[in-house]
């Protein structure tokens, strides 16, 4: 078997053109352009690249973006003051703090200072809790992008075995929660998992976000599984690769995302979607917000339905 490639760039183009029209409608009705503010602290080269992708995606759909850059030594108080100003700035619909922050920052405090109705990354504890409870308004962008890729490919999730490798707050944990919401049976693996292959071979859908090139090789994948590679690793040769041995695994999987060109373009696209959704809600909800989440289903589940 040779797996079908899941083309994240093509889906990102389609979603962005849909959202470009939504931005045009907002501008026509309200006479102002939605805005995203990005806070970038320090000189991590990868963060600078990610932020440039984000601002480019904003421009592509007609959103304004404003990058607030600070040196590594900036005080937390100065960044908190910037966030407070953005919270009350009516021209700003979304605020994102590019991670990682330097070590002297208290991350929960900084993330918690973002107005929760502008928290387009979904990292404020309120939004994290909402994701657990099934009411997330701003789903975190990378897992949200993976969900969209699965949907667009017509891959069913309910009742499937999903294994998520990597338990970060940004990807693995919210990904597992989203899959649980869609009624998958979920295993969440991490660095202390004793026998990784025992769980990966169970998966109908294997989602890998661990940050280690070639962590997943073909014997670890069930024939016919869907493999989503969230990893982005730069090899000493300069080549960009994921966490999955692409050439080996594509021989056994039914579907696979390439790196680059799989999940990456969708992450940035979902940030745009969350920002436009925020503007639509904040400016009067006239267009109706896409109901990405079956909140009712998940509430029913958590409130006594047999699971
Ligand atoms: N750093 C790595 N991934 C992300 C992300 O999704 N959002 C933010 N804000 N920072 C990141």
């Amino acid at each position: 078997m040779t797996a079908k490639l899941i083309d994240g760039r093509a889906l990102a183009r389609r979603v962005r053109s849909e959202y470009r029209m939504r931005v045009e409608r907002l501008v026509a009705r309200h006479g102002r352009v939605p805005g995203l503010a990005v806070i970038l602290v320090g000189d991590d080269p990868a963060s600078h690249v990610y932020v440039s992708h984000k601002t480019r995606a904003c421009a592509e759909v007609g959103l304004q973006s404003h990058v607030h850059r600070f040196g590594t030594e900036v005080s937390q108080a100065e960044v908190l003051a910037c966030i407070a100003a953005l919270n009350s700035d009516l021209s700003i619909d979304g605020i994102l703090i590019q991670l990682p922050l330097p070590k002297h920052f208290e991350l929960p405090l900084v993330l918690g200072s973002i107005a929760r109705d502008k928290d387009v990354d979904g990292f404020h504890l309120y939004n994290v809790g909402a994701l657990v409870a099934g009411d997330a308004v701003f789903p975190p962008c990378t897992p949200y992008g993976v969900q969209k890729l699965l949907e667009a490919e017509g891959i069913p999730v309910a009742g499937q075995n999903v294994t998520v490798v990597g338990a970060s707050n940004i990807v693995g944990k919210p990904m597992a929660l989203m899959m649980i919401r869609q009624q998958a049976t979920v295993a969440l693996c991490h660095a202390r998992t004793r026998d990784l292959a025992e769980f990966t071979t169970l998966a109908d859908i294997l989602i890998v976000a661990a940050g280690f090139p070639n962590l997943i090789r073909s014997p670890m994948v069930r024939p016919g599984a869907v493999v989503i590679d969230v990893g982005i690793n730069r090899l000493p040769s300069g080549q960009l690769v994921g966490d999955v041995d692409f050439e080996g695994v594509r021989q056994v999987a039914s579907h696979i995302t390439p790196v680059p060109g799989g999940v990456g373009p969708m992450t940035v696209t979902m940030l745009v979607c969350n920002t436009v959704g925020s503007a639509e809600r904040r400016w009067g909800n006239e267009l109706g917000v896409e109901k990405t989440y079956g909140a009712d289903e998940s509430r029913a589940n958590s409130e006594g339905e047999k699971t």
Side-chain angles (χ1 to χ4, degrees):
M1 175 183 304
T2 304
K4 178 179 181 218
L5 285 196
I6 301 180
D7 186 346
R9 286 199 184 110
L11 180 60
R13 267 196 302 276
R14 286 206 297 280
V15 175
R16 287 183 201 185
S17 74
E18 181 201 322
Y19 273 76
R20 182 169 184 85
M21 289 189 292
R22 285 167 71 156
V23 171
E24 282 166 7
R25 271 181 286 173
L26 274 172
V27 173
R29 284 184 195 196
H30 300 279
R32 56 195 169 114
V33 178
L36 171 72
V38 178
I39 294 178
L40 176 57
V41 182
D43 47 18
D44 176 46
S47 289
H48 280 256
V49 171
Y50 292 141
V51 167
S52 71
H53 290 169
K54 290 170 184 181
T55 54
R56 206 180 314 144
C58 284
E60 209 180 305
V61 298
L63 293 177
Q64 280 188 17
S65 62
H66 313 266
V67 182
H68 299 261
R69 291 187 173 80
F70 296 94
T72 311
E73 305 305 327
V74 67
S75 71
Q76 177 166 288
E78 200 175 325
V79 171
L80 289 176
C82 176
I83 295 169
L86 294 169
N87 283 344
S88 51
D89 183 338
L90 293 178
S91 72
I92 295 299
D93 301 286
I95 302 171
L96 174 150
I97 298 168
Q98 185 63 33
L99 302 178
L101 284 174
K103 289 206 167 24
H104 62 283
F105 281 84
E106 297 159 84
L107 192 56
L109 186 106
V110 175
L111 295 177
S113 71
I114 297 174
R116 62 193 198 201
D117 66 332
K118 296 188 180 184
D119 175 36
V120 285
D121 247 344
F123 294 162
H124 186 296
L125 284 185
Y126 176 87
N127 284 314
V128 175
L131 184 63
V132 175
D135 285 328
V137 173
F138 295 115
C141 300
T142 301
Y144 192 16
V146 171
Q147 178 183 302
K148 286 281 174 195
L149 284 169
L150 294 172
E151 261 171 43
E153 289 294 321
I155 294 163
V157 171
Q160 301 295 297
N161 288 347
V162 174
T163 298
V164 180
V165 181
S168 69
N169 288 341
I170 293 180
V171 183
K173 285 184 205 160
M175 187 79 253
L177 287 166
M178 286 185 196
M179 292 292 106
I180 289 168
R181 273 201 76 166
Q182 293 188 37
Q183 299 173 331
T185 305
V186 176
L188 180 55
C189 301
H190 44 75
R192 300 294 296 270
T193 298
R194 247 188 344 220
D195 182 353
L196 185 58
E198 188 179 346
F199 294 94
T200 59
T201 48
L202 275 179
D204 302 304
I205 301 173
L206 176 59
I207 303 172
V208 191
F212 295 102
N214 288 324
L215 177 67
I216 304 295
R217 287 162 285 102
S218 58
M220 302 168 77
V221 177
R222 178 173 173 162
V226 174
V227 178
I228 306 289
D229 190 351
V230 184
I232 304 180
N233 309 289
R234 179 81 60 188
L235 297 181
S237 65
Q239 191 192 354
L240 210 55
V241 297
D243 293 349
V244 174
D245 166 24
F246 181 79
E247 289 307 328
V249 170
R250 73 187 300 194
Q251 305 304 323
V252 294
S254 66
H255 297 72
I256 190 167
T257 55
V259 177
V263 175
M266 287 304 292
T267 295
V268 176
T269 300
M270 300 331 287
L271 173 67
V272 164
C273 298
N274 278 348
T275 305
V276 175
S278 169
E280 288 171 350
R281 273 188 298 280
R282 290 159 42 71
W283 300 5
N285 205 14
E286 291 170 37
L287 304 176
V289 175
E290 182 192 13
K291 195 175 174 215
T292 49
Y293 267 44
D296 301 334
E297 270 167 45
S298 112
R299 261 205 227 98
N301 246 350
S302 58
E303 286 171 9
E305 248 185 27
K306 276 192 186 163
T307 53

